[in-house]
Amino acid sequence: MIIDCHGHYTTAPAGLQAFRESQLAGLKAAIDVPPFAQGAISDEEIRASLETAQLKLQRERGTDLTIFSPRASAMAHDVGNETTSRRWTEACNDLINRVCRLYPQNFVGVCQLPQSPGVAPLHSAAELERCVSQLGFIGCNLNPDPSGGRWNSPPLTDRHWYPLYEKIVELDVPAMVHVSSSCNPNFHTTGAHYLNADTTAFMQFLSSDLFKDFPTLRFIIPHGGGAVPYHWGRYRGLAQDMKRPLLKDYLLKNVFFDTCVYHLPGIELLLKVIPVDNIIFGSEMVGAVRGVDPETDHYFDDTRRYLDALELSPGDRFKIFEGNARRVFPRLAARLATLSP
Amino acid sequence: MIIDCHGHYTTAPAGLQAFRESQLAGLKAAIDVPPFAQGAISDEEIRASLETAQLKLQRERGTDLTIFSPRASAMAHDVGNETTSRRWTEACNDLINRVCRLYPQNFVGVCQLPQSPGVAPLHSAAELERCVSQLGFIGCNLNPDPSGGRWNSPPLTDRHWYPLYEKIVELDVPAMVHVSSSCNPNFHTTGAHYLNADTTAFMQFLSSDLFKDFPTLRFIIPHGGGAVPYHWGRYRGLAQDMKRPLLKDYLLKNVFFDTCVYHLPGIELLLKVIPVDNIIFGSEMVGAVRGVDPETDHYFDDTRRYLDALELSPGDRFKIFEGNARRVFPRLAARLATLSP
C-alpha cells in the first residue's frame, strides 16, 4: 500500500471559493458572513473536481491513499477575525469530510485549524476535536505563523501553544507544520515562505525541551524538511555547540519529514542523512509545482518515481510508503480497518 | 591557490565590542557616541586574534586567502539609527582594513554596509565607495532585512534598492546576501534566519527581471544557497509554471553559491545540481558551527575536506577554489597582483 501523507484539496469546487469571497466582501462591511450563506456544492461537483486531478494522478502514479487536507495557501489565518477563520475552517474541513465519505478508499482527512493572529491556540481545540472524534480525521495542519509572513506569534516551543498540544496529544494525532500564503512581499508563498517555515520550526524544536514536556507529540515537517536535510551537518554541529544531545536522540522520536522534494538528487540526500524511520512518503499533489520536468518527462511532484529509482530494501520501502505513516498517524489503522478489502 | 570567499572577523579584539557597548549605552541616553570614543586596538591584539583562529585554521586546512568581512551577526542594522549604523560600520570596516594590511597574503576585505531600517539603500553608497576605492575592498555584504527578522523592507528586486545597485555595478563588486542576527524569537540566527534569507533572496531573484535591469550585478548566496539546491527541482518547476526561462539562462549569470554546507552529502548535492561555474569555495570559518564532527573527527566547517573527497576534475577544482572567485570579484586580481610572489 502506498500512502501519500501530504495532499491538499487545491481543486475544490467553485462554491467553496464563492463562500470565501462572500466572507471577504462581508468583512469590508464589518459583517461576519454566516455559514448558511455557503452555496450548495453537489457530490457531482466534488467527484468531477477529483476525478480529473487527484484521483487520476493516484491511478497514474500507482498510489493508494492520500492523507488529505484543505488547501494550505487558502487557510489565510490572517484574514478577518477569529469568527472569520472558524467559519472558513469549518467549511473547508466539512468539504474534506465529504471527499473522504465519497472516496473512503482514496482519501483520509487531516484538518485545517481555525487559528487567528493573537488568538490563543486553545481556541482551535474544539474544531480539532470535532474533526477527529466526529469526522474521523487523523491529524491536523498547524500554522506556526498565522499572521502570514509577519512572524509575530511566539515560537512553536513557547508555552503559548501548550494547551493546544495537550489536546493534540490527548487525541493522539500528529500535526503537520504548515504555513499558509504569505502577505509579506519578501516571501514567495511556495518558493520561500513554506520552506522557511519548515526550517524555522525544526530549529525551534532543536533549541528547546518541548519533547521533554510532550514526549508523544509528533510533528511532520513537510517539503522534505525545508533546508534541514541539506544542512544536516550544520544542525548536528549547532546542537553540539549548544551542548544538546544527538539529534536522533532528542528530536527524531517526534519529528518526521515528508518526501515533497522535486528532483532525484534531493530525495537521494534526504534518504542519505535522515533515518528511514523518520521519512514519510508525500507528494503535495496537486500543489506547488504542477508541470512536467523537461529533464525527465515526468511530473516534478511525482515523488514516487524518485524513491523507486533508489535501491531501497523492502523493509525501508515499506516504512517510507506505509509503515511510518501508520505509526505517526495511529488513527489511520482504525480508519483503514473499517474499509472493505 | 585556495580562496575562501566567506569569512567573518568573529574573533575581533575586545576593543571593538567595547565601542559597540558604548554605542548601546549612549543610545539609552539618546547620545550618538562619536567614533573617537573607540579605544585603541593594537596591532598585537589583531595579530593575536587571528593567529590562534583564522590564520591557524588557514594553515591547518591548506587554504590561502580569505575574503574577509565584519562579523555578520554583529552588523545588527536594526540597532539605533542611521548614525549608529554608520559609525559602527566604519569601525568594523576599518578593523578589517587593518587585518588586510597586516596580512595582505591572507586576507582581502569585503565591507559591511551602514544599512538602517527605513533608510534609503543609497545612503550606503558612500561607505561602499570608501571601502572599495580607498581601502581596496573587493565586495560588500548586503542585508536584505535590516530590521533583523521583521522583514519589513521591500524585496531585493524592488526599485528601492536600485540606486545602491548602480553604485555596486559602477564599482564592479559583487554583493553577498547576508542577514545579521535575528531579533525575532521565531528565527534562530544561524540555524534559521541565515538560511531563510538565502532561500528568500533566491526566490525573489527568480520571480523578477532584476538582471535585465542590471545585467552585470552579481550576488553570492551564502550557506550553500539556503534551501535552494536541495529544492532545485521545485525552483525549476516554479520557474516553468511562471513561464520564465530556464534558471541557468536568466539567473545563473548573476547568482552564485558558496560551499558553506557542513557535511559531505550536502556538498555532493550542491555539486550535482548547481553548475560548477556558480560554486565558490567558502567555509564561514570561524563562524556558525565551531565544533568537530564526531562522525568524521574533523571540523564541521572544514568544507575543503568535503570537496577534496569528491572526484573533481582539475578544471572544476580550479573554478571552485579560485577561478570563480576571480571572476565574480574582478578586483581580486588587481589586489593579488600587488602582492610579492
Side-chain angles (χ1 to χ4, degrees), chain A residues 151 153 184 186 190-191 196 200 204 224 226 230-231 234-236 240-241 263 268 272 284 290 292-293, chain B residues 151 153 184 186 190-191 196 200 204 224 226 230-231 234-236 240-241 263 268 272 284 290 292-293:
Chain A
W151 287 97
S153 288
N184 186 325
N186 280 287
T190 52
N196 291 351
T200 298
Q204 291 175 1
Y230 176 48
H231 287 285
R234 173 177 284 254
Y235 290 104
R236 289 197 293 108
Q240 180 172 294
D241 286 356
H263 61 152
E268 277 176 343
K272 211 176 278 182
E284 208 185 347
R290 307 209 171 185
V292 168
D293 185 349
Chain B
W151 285 98
S153 288
N184 186 324
N186 281 285
T190 53
N196 291 351
T200 298
Q204 291 175 0
Y230 177 48
H231 287 285
R234 173 176 283 253
Y235 290 104
R236 288 195 296 109
Q240 182 172 293
D241 286 356
H263 62 153
E268 276 175 345
K272 212 177 276 181
E284 209 184 346
R290 307 210 171 186
V292 168
D293 184 348

Side-chain angles (χ1 to χ4, degrees), chain A residues 3-8 61 63 66-67 69 72 141 176-178 190-191 194-196 198-199 220-230 256-271 274 278-289 299-307 320-321 329, chain B residues 227-235 237-238:
Chain A
I3 301 168
D4 183 340
C5 80
H6 188 175
H8 302 295
R61 300 180 185 182
T63 64
T66 300
I67 298 179
S69 59
N141 292 333
M176 181 175 276
V177 178
H178 208 308
T190 52
Y194 281 15
L195 305 177
N196 291 351
D198 305 334
T199 307
I220 298 162
I221 303 190
H223 321 107
V228 171
Y230 176 48
F256 303 84
F257 302 91
D258 78 10
T259 65
C260 296
V261 177
Y262 295 157
H263 61 152
L264 180 58
I267 292 287
E268 277 176 343
L269 173 92
L270 175 68
L271 272 282
I274 303 297
N278 294 79
I279 300 171
I280 306 179
F281 174 66
S283 76
E284 208 185 347
M285 70 93 168
V286 181
V289 175
Y299 283 103
F300 280 105
D301 68 0
D302 187 357
T303 54
R304 182 184 162 180
R305 286 189 174 271
Y306 311 129
L307 289 158
I320 293 170
F321 282 115
F329 294 88
Chain B
V228 171
Y230 177 48
H231 287 285
W232 197 240
R234 173 176 283 253
Y235 290 104
L238 284 169

Side-chain angles (χ1 to χ4, degrees), chain B residues 15-36:
Chain B
L16 185 69
Q17 186 57 28
F19 174 56
R20 184 59 162 176
E21 277 158 23
S22 75
Q23 274 200 314
L24 301 178
L27 282 170
K28 285 187 188 155
I31 294 166
D32 278 316
V33 172
F36 59 74

Side-chain angles (χ1 to χ4, degrees), chain A residues 3-13 46 49-50 53-55 58 65-71 92-93 95-100 103 106-112 136-141 176 284-287 329 332 335:
Chain A
I3 301 168
D4 183 340
C5 80
H6 188 175
H8 302 295
Y9 198 6
T10 50
T11 60
I46 294 175
S49 76
L50 295 163
Q54 288 84 356
L55 285 168
Q58 278 187 357
L65 181 78
T66 300
I67 298 179
F68 207 50
S69 59
R71 181 176 202 153
C92 291
N93 288 335
L95 203 60
I96 294 293
N97 183 44
R98 290 181 63 194
V99 167
C100 298
Y103 297 97
N106 300 95
F107 298 102
V108 58
V110 152
C111 65
Q112 174 175 329
F137 285 24
I138 62 170
C140 60
N141 292 333
M176 181 175 276
E284 208 185 347
M285 70 93 168
V286 181
F329 294 88
L332 180 58
R335 179 71 173 54

